[in-house]
Each structure stands twice: as structure tokens, then as C-alpha cells.
């Protein structure tokens, strides 16, 4: 079993940074004509003199952040947290380090702090998942169906593992697995050294595997 | 599949697509960008607005009846109000407005369509977002001129032409016949609480929010109008500071209010005329919300469990012409409102 983690994900996975509803994205494109392909850092820099430019970041990333939080806390809270995140980001735009072209780690860092305020309801959500199957689960592509039996059987176990993880470890694990951030980006998001990201991720994955019943030490990461 | 693969799969299953209402958060950001965050009317009022308006409708409507005086009720003109078994389902439009007696024209921040069924079914409440773009009918303004029919925000109907104009706009939008309408304003909420002699809440730990005028010590206690409003709206520095936490607090407060209202209604009908006088000026009604009509509403409410009212929001999508506005999602809205047309 070779680990999938030797190469950190790039973050540019299909569908992830998709802007929110299509109709709105089109409109936003009109409003911020040349914002479409500027780097995030350029937008933030411009927003320091022209605050309106900041709205383009919302169109770019609100959908991504919403999806991420909807996984961790459910749809009811996600909407408010996304709004909150952009208000905080806007008020801190002067302090953004413009040498980071990609603003995703920064936004994920802000939203991680907000998510942590809800750690009790997050744990409760995972515990509820242990007991009930996931709603509205649709058939995936053929390869997922093949693995479907294992995946379905593992779900309550995964939920149990997530509920039991210390908050800091869970943040790292989920920023990697659900937020598609690379190690360096997680480090930037949480303001911790990359080495700490690795050790927290390893510890979290070890616990997940233990709950899944796999104690093979060969799965250990460097 | 390794552990991360399984975890990603789980993530996909748990994920929700961004809803159309996310445009509100964009609007929130746009307001912050434009430096308009300071305005007093906030989202907090929208949340308690729905609850307060519906509570008001559910409490006050049957309460008003008792003005006729207990058994063998008569209306103030002395006519018998007894009508043989003529119960029918009713649709009532309830507006929560932000009028505070200042120079600004009041706006309807909260718009709820309430359906009181004929049989022992559940009450349905559908809230209509205030930033929904709709075809507005021609209405008479407060100064008597008629406005042209146009497309605009649903909540502007109230500002332009009052309760009557809102009724026609919502009827046009939903194709639902509205029997009665009422509106309640910001101070109405406080007066409901005061009129009931306060409500009982259990405060888990000291709550202090000087900005909101809140200062409560821990424990079970009665809180009155201003404190109740501050308690419902407070956000900073309480609980986990989140909206969810606040919504929970508001729901507890509403439950306490309903409980209190039931007690008061049964135990002390003598106090009710006073209560109604206090509410005067914060409420407005439309149509024939007369004593016989209220009697009928009370009969419906007696048979239904107000605790199990079904709350939903009318289906919307982002407006094609304006990212900060909403448009009605017609096919799904039509389906949702089916029960209102029975």
C-alpha cells in the first residue's frame, strides 16, 4: 500500500476553487473586468486603495470555503462562517504578506479559527455519523462503486476517528484531505512550521488507521 | 484505498453545494467595503424578526379574542360571534418592520406567510427573503398618489404603500390568496415581553455586553423588554460568539415566550386588555381581522400544535442581473406553496 501523500496535492484540483453560483460568477466577471486572471495578491494590493476590488476574492473563493465548512459543520453554519471570514479578511488586508500570490491558505487560516469555535458541534456531527448512514449518497463512478463496500463500511469508523482527534491534529488532517492544501500551505494557514504540519498529520493518520483496524507500521510517513 | 482516500470520499459525501442565499454574505462584504457596517439595523433583527413576528401572530391573534370576554363571547358591538362550524383554512401575512419612530420610513425586514390549516395539520410558515426581486403592483403611496407597476425588492412594497401594498405584492408573487395581514415593529417585541411581565430564562453564566445594554448574572431569572431584546441579539463575547449559538438562544427565548403567553392567557384574562393597549402603535392589521375572524383563528390554533409549526424559506436563486439580489425559483416555490392554496 503506497502512500498517496508522498507528493503533496497542488490545490488546483478540479472543481475546488470554483466560484459560487454560475449566474453570479458571470456578473462578477463583468464588474471586475480584469480581475479574472490577476493573482490574489494583486487583488489584495489593489483593494488597499480601491476596496471594491476585494469583492473579486469572494467570487473566487466563497464557494470553495462553503464546501469545506459544509463538510465539517454542515450547511447551516457554513453560510455565516464564510461571510464572517471575508469580513475578517477584508479588515486585515493591509497586513497580508503580498509575497504569497495565492490567498487560499490565508482564507483557510481565518476560517479554521472560526470553525474551531464550533468544535463541540463538529464532534457531535461526527458522532452522529457513526450511528447513521450518510444521507443522499449517490452512486459514484465505476471505480468508486467497486470500492464502495469498503468505503461504506469504513464511514462510521472514520467518523469515530475524526470525533476523537485533538482539534489541532484534525485541522491539519482536514486542511490536507478536504481543503486540498499542500504542507507548506497548511503551515502558512495555521502559522506553524512545516515540520509541525508533518508530525501532526502523521499522528492524525496513525489514529485514523488504527481505528480502521490497520496497524501496518509500513504505512508510517517520514 | 488508503486512509486519506477514504477520508476524501467521506468529505465528498458530506459536502453541500453553495446555496443561492450565499449572495447575502457577498452583500454583507459589499456593505463593509462601502463602510456601511455601522447602521443599527442588523441581521440580528432579521432573525428575531421572524420569530417575533410569528410569535406575535400566534399569541396575539387568539389573545385579542378574549377582549370579547370568556364564555359566550360577543364582539364589542354586542353581536353574537357564534358561527356554526364555518372553519376554513386561513393565510396570514406577517411583517416584522424596523420602524422605530425615527425619520426613516419603516421597512419590512421580515416577511412571513403563515398558513393555518383547516384540519389537525401542522401550521406552515414560509419566510420570504427581503432581498427578493419581484414584480410589484401599482400601489397608493401614503400621500395618496399611485405608483407604476415595476420590478423591485419585495420589502420596498411596504415602504411605498404600507401593509396593503405588501399583501398585493406577495399575492402576486406566490399566487396565494391572503386573508389577513399584520405587521409588528421593533418595539413591539419588547412590549410583548413587558406585557407578559417578562420571560423566564436560564442564563448559564454572566452575560455582559455594554454595547447592547446587557448585564445578566447567571441563573434562572425573569428578564424584561430591553434586556430580552439585548439577550436575543447579543453576539460578541457570549457563548461561542456564533450565529448558531445566538439562534439557539433566540429559540429558547421564543419557547419561553410562548409558554408564558399560554399561562397568562389562561390565568389572567383580565390583564389582556392592558396588554393589547401596550401593543397599540406597534402593530397594524389589514383586512377584516375582526373578533369573529379571530375567534375562527383561535379555533384553528386550538386544534393545532403551535410547537410543531413547519418553518421554511421560499426557494430562491441568485438574480441573473444582480449578484446581490435574489430571484424566485418558481417551480419549487410553486410546489412548496401548494398547501397554501388548499
Amino acid at each position: 500500500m503506497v502512500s498517496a501523500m508522498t507528493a503533496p496535492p497542488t490545490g488546483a484540483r478540479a472543481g475546488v476553487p470554483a466560484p459560487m453560483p454560475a449566474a453570479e460568477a458571470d456578473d462578477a466577471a463583468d464588474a471586475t473586468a480584469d480581475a479574472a486572471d490577476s493573482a490574489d495578491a494583486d487583488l489584495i494590493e489593489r483593494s488597499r486603495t480601491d476596496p471594491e476590488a476585494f469583492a473579486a476574492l469572494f467570487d473566487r473563493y466563497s464557494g470553495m470555503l462553503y464546501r469545506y465548512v459544509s463538510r465539517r459543520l454542515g450547511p447551516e453554519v457554513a453560510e455565516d462562517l464564510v461571510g464572517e471570514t471575508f469580513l475578517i479578511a477584508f479588515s486585515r488586508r493591509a497586513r497580508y504578506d503580498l509575497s504569497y500570490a495565492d490567498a487560499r491558505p490565508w482564507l483557510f487560516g481565518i476560517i479554521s479559527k472560526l470553525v474551531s469555535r464550533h468544535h463541540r458541534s463538529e464532534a457531535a456531527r461526527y458522532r452522529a455519523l457513526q450511528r447513521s448512514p450518510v444521507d443522499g449518497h449517490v452512486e459514484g463512478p465505476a471505480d468508486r462503486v467497486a470500492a464502495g463496500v469498503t468505503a461504506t463500511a469504513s464511514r462510521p469508523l472514520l467518523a469515530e476517528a475524526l470525533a476523537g482527534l485533538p482539534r489541532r491534529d484534525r485541522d491539519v488532517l482536514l486542511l490536507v484531505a478536504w481543503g486540498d492544501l499542500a504542507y507548506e500551505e497548511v503551515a502558512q494557514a495555521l502559522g506553524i512550521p512545516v515540520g509541525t504540519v508533518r508530525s501532526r498529520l502523521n499522528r492524525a493518520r496513525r489514529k485514523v488507521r488504527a481505528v480502521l483496524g490497520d496497524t501496518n507500521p509500513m504505512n508510517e510517513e517520514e | 484505498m488508503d486512509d486519506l482516500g477514504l477520508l476524501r470520499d467521506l468529505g465528498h459525501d458530506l459536502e453541500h453545494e453553495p446555496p443561492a442565499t450565499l449572495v447575502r454574505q457577498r452583500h454583507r462584504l459589499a456593505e463593509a467595503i462601502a463602510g456601511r457596517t455601522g447602521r443599527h439595523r442588523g441581521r440580528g433583527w432579521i432573525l428575531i424578526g421572524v420569530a417575533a413576528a410569528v410569535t406575535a401572530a400566534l399569541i396575539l391573534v387568539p389573545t385579542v379574542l378574549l377582549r370579547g370576554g370568556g364564555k359566550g363571547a360577543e364582539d364589542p358591538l354586542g353581536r353574537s360571534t357564534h358561527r356554526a362550524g364555518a372553519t376554513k383554512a386561513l393565510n396570514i401575512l406577517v411583517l416584522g418592520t424596523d420602524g422605530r419612530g425615527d425619520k426613516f420610513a419603516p421597512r419590512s425586514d421580515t416577511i412571513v406567510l403563515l398558513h393555518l390549516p383547516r384540519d389537525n395539520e401542522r401550521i406552515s410558515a414560509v419566510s420570504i427573503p427581503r432581498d427578493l426581486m419581484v414584480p410589484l403592483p401599482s400601489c397608493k403611496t401614503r400621500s395618496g398618489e399611485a405608483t407604476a407597476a415595476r420590478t423591485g425588492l419585495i420589502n420596498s412594497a411596504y415602504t411605498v404603500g404600507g401593509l396593503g401594498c405588501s399583501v398585493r405584492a406577495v399575492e402576486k408573487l406566490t399566487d396565494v390568496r391572503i386573508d389577513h395581514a399584520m405587521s409588528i415593529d421593533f418595539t413591539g417585541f419588547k412590549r410583548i415581553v413587558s406585557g407578559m411581565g417578562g420571560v423566564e430564562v436560564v442564563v448559564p453564566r454572566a452575560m455582559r455586553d455594554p454595547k447592547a445594554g446587557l448585564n445578566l448574572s447567571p441563573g434562572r431569572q425573569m428578564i424584561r423588554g430591553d434586556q430580552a431584546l439585548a439577550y436575543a441579539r447579543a453576539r460578541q463575547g457570549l457563548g461561542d460568539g456564533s450565529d448558531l449559538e445566538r439562534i439557539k438562544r433566540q429559540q429558547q427565548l421564543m419557547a419561553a415566550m410562548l409558554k408564558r403567553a399560554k399561562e397568562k392567557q389562561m390565568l389572567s384574562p383580565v390583564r389582556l386588555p392592558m396588554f393589547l393597549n401596550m401593543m397599540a402603535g406597534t402593530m397594524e392589521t389589514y383586512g377584516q381581522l375582526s373578533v369573529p375572524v379571530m375567534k375562527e383563528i383561535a379555533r384553528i390554533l386550538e386544534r393545532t400544535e403551535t410547537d410543531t409549526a413547519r418553518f421554511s424559506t421560499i426557494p430562491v436563486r441568485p438574480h441573473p442581473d444582480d449578484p446581490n439580489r435574489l430571484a424566485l425559483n418558481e417551480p419549487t416555490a410553486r410546489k412548496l406553496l401548494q398547501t397554501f392554496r388548499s
Side-chain angles (χ1 to χ4, degrees), chain B residues 257-299:
Chain B
M257 283 174 70
L258 272 172
K259 185 169 160 254
R260 183 81 174 158
K262 275 185 181 166
E263 287 166 10
K264 283 287 164 188
Q265 198 175 320
M266 285 183 291
L267 300 177
S268 171
V270 185
R271 296 179 67 175
L272 289 169
M274 217 171 67
F275 179 40
L276 289 168
N277 279 341
M278 286 183 73
M279 294 303 297
T282 68
M283 275 178 62
E284 187 189 350
T285 57
Y286 171 86
Q288 285 145 351
L289 216 53
S290 61
V291 173
V293 169
M294 297 214 184
K295 174 103 182 152
E296 192 155 303
I297 293 173
R299 218 181 288 155

Side-chain angles (χ1 to χ4, degrees), chain A:
Chain A
M1 201 70 55
V2 179
S3 167
M5 282 312 297
T6 38
T10 61
R13 288 162 54 94
V16 172
M20 20 172 305
E24 179 174 349
D26 290 344
D27 274 36
D30 291 347
T32 50
D34 56 347
D37 34 59
S38 348
D40 301 340
D42 296 341
L43 281 176
I44 296 169
E45 185 176 21
R46 197 180 326 150
S47 76
R48 289 174 184 171
T49 47
D50 171 20
E52 301 272 332
F54 203 84
L57 271 190
F58 184 96
D59 298 329
R60 203 171 272 184
Y61 294 128
S62 60
M64 172 192 79
L65 293 174
Y66 180 89
R67 290 189 183 90
Y68 177 73
V69 180
S70 74
R71 293 173 173 203
R72 293 188 64 173
L73 296 172
E76 298 82 7
V77 198
E79 196 168 326
D80 193 53
L81 287 204
V82 169
E84 203 80 7
T85 299
F86 281 97
L87 289 184
I88 294 171
F90 179 69
S91 70
R92 292 188 190 159
R93 67 192 189 285
R95 279 181 276 159
Y96 184 81
D97 181 347
L98 295 172
S99 64
Y100 293 103
D102 184 352
R104 287 181 313 124
W106 181 52
L107 295 171
F108 269 117
I110 295 170
I111 213 162
S112 293
K113 281 235 173 68
L114 296 178
V115 166
S116 71
R117 290 186 192 165
H118 295 269
H119 67 275
R120 278 195 208 89
S121 58
E122 184 180 18
R125 180 172 157 85
Y126 298 137
R127 278 194 299 273
L129 261 180
Q130 278 176 253
R131 296 186 294 269
S132 64
V134 173
D135 287 339
H137 177 57
V138 284
E139 293 283 294
D143 57 332
R144 282 184 59 195
V145 174
V149 182
T150 351
T152 312
S154 67
R155 198 160 293 139
L157 297 172
L158 283 172
E160 181 192 336
L162 286 178
L165 285 179
R167 269 187 274 167
R168 296 189 306 177
D169 294 357
R170 186 161 64 208
D171 269 343
V172 171
L173 178 67
L174 294 184
L175 282 175
V176 169
W178 290 355
D180 288 313
L181 292 190
Y183 296 170
E184 293 74 15
E185 293 172 327
V186 175
Q188 189 198 335
L190 301 178
I192 53 176
V194 178
T196 311
V197 171
R198 286 184 205 280
S199 61
R200 285 185 192 174
L201 182 69
N202 282 337
R203 192 163 55 213
R205 293 189 63 187
R206 210 154 47 225
K207 281 187 184 158
V208 170
R209 282 194 295 261
V211 173
L212 289 173
D214 172 9
T215 49
N216 185 354
M218 294 307 284
N219 274 332
E220 196 71 16
E221 296 260 340
E222 271 315 302

